C-alpha cells in the first residue's frame, strides 16, 4: 500500500484481502454518514439484505455516535447488530462509516483486535473523502 490516500481500486484490493483472510466476513461497505455507499466489497455469494436497510443502519449509527459524544457518554468504539443470519459491525473512520457484515457465528474477539488495523489502513482514504 502506498503512502498517502490509497485509490479506490487499491482500497478495494485491501478490503478483498480482508474478506479472503477472515472467512466469517460476508461484506465490507464504506459509506458517508448519510448512508451513501462509497466502496463495497463482498464475497461472491449474494447477501440479499437490501441497500435501503444498510443506508438506514448507517444513518442511525452516525446519529448515535454523535449523540453519545454530546451526552458525555464517551466515544463510541463500534456498534454490533445481530439480525437474522448475520452480525453487522459498524465503526467510524473520520466521517466514513465502515460496516462489516459477518456470519451469525463469527468470532467477534478476532474482529475486536482487527478493527484498529482496518482503521489505521483506511485513515488516508477517509481523510481524503
Amino acid at each position: 500500500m502506498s503512502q498517502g490516500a490509497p485509490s479506490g481500486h487499491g482500497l478495494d484490493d485491501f478490503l478483498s484481502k480482508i474478506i479472503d483472510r477472515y472467512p466469517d466476513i460476508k461484506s465490507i461497505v464504506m459509506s458517508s454518514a448519510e448512508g451513501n455507499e462509497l466502496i463495497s466489497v463482498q464475497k461472491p455469494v449474494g447477501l440479499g439484505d437490501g441497500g435501503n436497510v444498510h443506508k438506514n443502519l448507517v444513518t442511525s449509527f452516525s446519529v448515535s455516535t454523535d449523540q453519545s459524544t454530546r451526552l458525555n457518554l464517551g466515544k463510541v468504539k463500534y456498534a454490533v447488530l445481530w439480525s437474522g443470519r448475520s452480525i453487522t459491525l459498524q465503526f467510524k473512520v473520520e466521517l466514513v462509516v465502515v460496516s462489516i457484515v459477518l456470519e451469525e457465528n463469527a468470532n467477534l474477539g478476532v474482529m475486536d483486535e482487527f478493527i484498529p488495523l482496518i482503521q489505521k489502513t483506511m485513515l488516508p482514504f477517509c481523510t481524503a473523502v
Side-chain angles (χ1 to χ4, degrees):
M1 183 97 17
S2 64
Q3 297 285 28
S7 67
H9 179 70
L11 194 54
D12 282 347
D13 291 344
F14 171 71
L15 297 176
S16 293
K17 288 177 184 175
I18 292 172
I19 288 176
D20 291 342
R21 184 172 177 190
Y22 294 92
D24 289 340
I25 298 176
K26 294 181 177 184
S27 70
I28 301 173
V29 180
M30 295 177 63
S31 307
S32 67
E34 296 79 29
N36 298 316
E37 186 177 300
L38 303 172
I39 294 178
S40 176
V41 178
Q42 65 182 359
K43 287 186 177 175
V45 178
L47 299 177
D49 59 353
N52 286 334
V53 172
H54 172 75
K55 185 174 183 172
N56 290 333
L57 288 175
V58 169
T59 55
S60 296
F61 175 72
S62 294
V63 169
S64 297
T65 58
D66 291 342
Q67 291 301 318
S68 176
T69 303
R70 289 185 182 133
L71 295 171
N72 294 321
L73 297 174
K75 184 177 177 183
V76 174
K77 185 175 177 181
Y78 54 82
V80 179
L81 170 71
W82 275 269
S83 60
R85 291 170 284 199
S86 64
I87 299 170
T88 301
L89 179 67
Q90 290 183 309
F91 56 92
K92 287 179 94 172
V93 181
E94 295 296 319
L95 298 176
V96 175
V97 177
V98 179
S99 302
I100 301 176
V101 179
L102 304 156
E103 297 288 344
E104 64 185 322
N105 58 351
N107 182 342
L108 293 178
V110 169
M111 293 309 301
D112 187 47
E113 294 173 5
F114 190 58
I115 288 173
L117 171 65
I118 295 173
Q119 289 172 317
K120 182 179 178 183
T121 304
M122 291 180 174
L123 187 60
F125 173 81
C126 295
T127 54
V129 171

